[in-house]
Amino acid sequence: MSVYEATRFRYLFKSVENIVNKELTHLLAPLCITSNQSEVLLVLQEFGTLSLKKLGNLLICEGKSPSRLISSLIKKGLVIKEISEKDRRTSFLSLSSGGQDLIPKILAIKTHYDRQLLEEGIDFKALSQPFKAFIKGTSYEEKLKARFMWDE
């Protein structure tokens, strides 16, 4: 294998990521949220009230602190931030009623898009194996395991 193959892999991977993100952005636009914002809402729906740190440990879309992402969702009235009474340095995040109302719409859009991807006839299970090998031992493996998206 040559350096060219590794370079090509990076560009192919980035191209697929860009196509998927662009399509999800387009599909979610009527809801006035981004793909990353939808991930936050879905994680809060699945796991309930979380600290900013715990939320960050579950998000795939953010490598660092999701503070800006959360701020945008608070401004939109989709997430509620409450300061801990025990430790004023800690805050807890949960879905507002507006955020809860968006969940079925987000799930419908993402499920429809996932079905479209399946119609491409790609063996996603086989394709996932090299990616899992690449991710193994990183924080992303832990995030995927915590979200029950990692099978051994």
Side-chain angles (χ1 to χ4, degrees):
M1 189 174 291
S2 70
V3 172
Y4 169 77
E5 293 298 326
T7 301
R8 185 171 71 158
F9 166 80
R10 286 187 297 103
Y11 281 106
L12 285 169
F13 179 81
K14 189 67 173 173
S15 298
V16 169
E17 182 183 31
N18 287 340
I19 290 167
V20 169
N21 284 337
K22 184 178 180 181
E23 184 60 22
L24 280 174
T25 296
H26 170 73
L27 293 170
L28 291 166
L31 303 181
C32 300
I33 60 169
T34 66
S35 180
N36 290 356
Q37 290 171 335
S38 74
E39 183 182 352
V40 170
L41 297 175
L42 291 174
V43 167
L44 288 173
Q45 171 66 23
E46 183 176 353
F47 291 90
T49 301
L50 295 169
S51 69
L52 183 63
K53 182 177 180 178
K54 286 184 181 178
L55 177 63
N57 289 338
L58 293 168
L59 294 177
I60 306 302
C61 67
E62 287 288 319
K64 298 180 182 176
S65 174
S67 297
R68 260 188 253 167
L69 187 55
I70 297 304
S71 292
S72 68
L73 289 166
I74 292 169
K75 285 179 187 172
K76 291 180 180 193
L78 302 174
V79 169
I80 298 167
K81 179 180 179 179
E82 296 180 66
I83 306 297
S84 170
E85 292 179 12
K86 294 179 183 175
D87 181 356
R88 307 281 301 156
R89 297 171 294 171
T90 303
S91 58
F92 293 100
L93 305 163
S94 59
L95 290 176
S96 69
S97 59
Q100 291 171 357
D101 290 345
L102 278 185
I103 296 297
K105 296 171 186 172
I106 294 168
L107 289 172
I109 287 168
K110 289 191 171 189
T111 300
H112 177 74
Y113 185 58
D114 289 345
R115 286 191 177 125
Q116 283 181 306
L117 290 174
L118 288 172
E119 289 173 8
E120 298 290 326
I122 298 167
D123 184 349
F124 288 106
K125 186 168 183 156
L127 185 61
S128 296
Q129 294 312 311
F131 289 114
K132 285 177 63 178
F134 197 78
I135 292 168
K136 191 144 186 77
T138 70
S139 64
Y140 290 102
E141 177 184 7
E142 297 308 312
K143 290 177 182 200
L144 290 166
K145 284 181 176 179
R147 290 179 60 185
F148 309 104
M149 292 183 185
W150 190 275
D151 56 342
E152 296 295 333

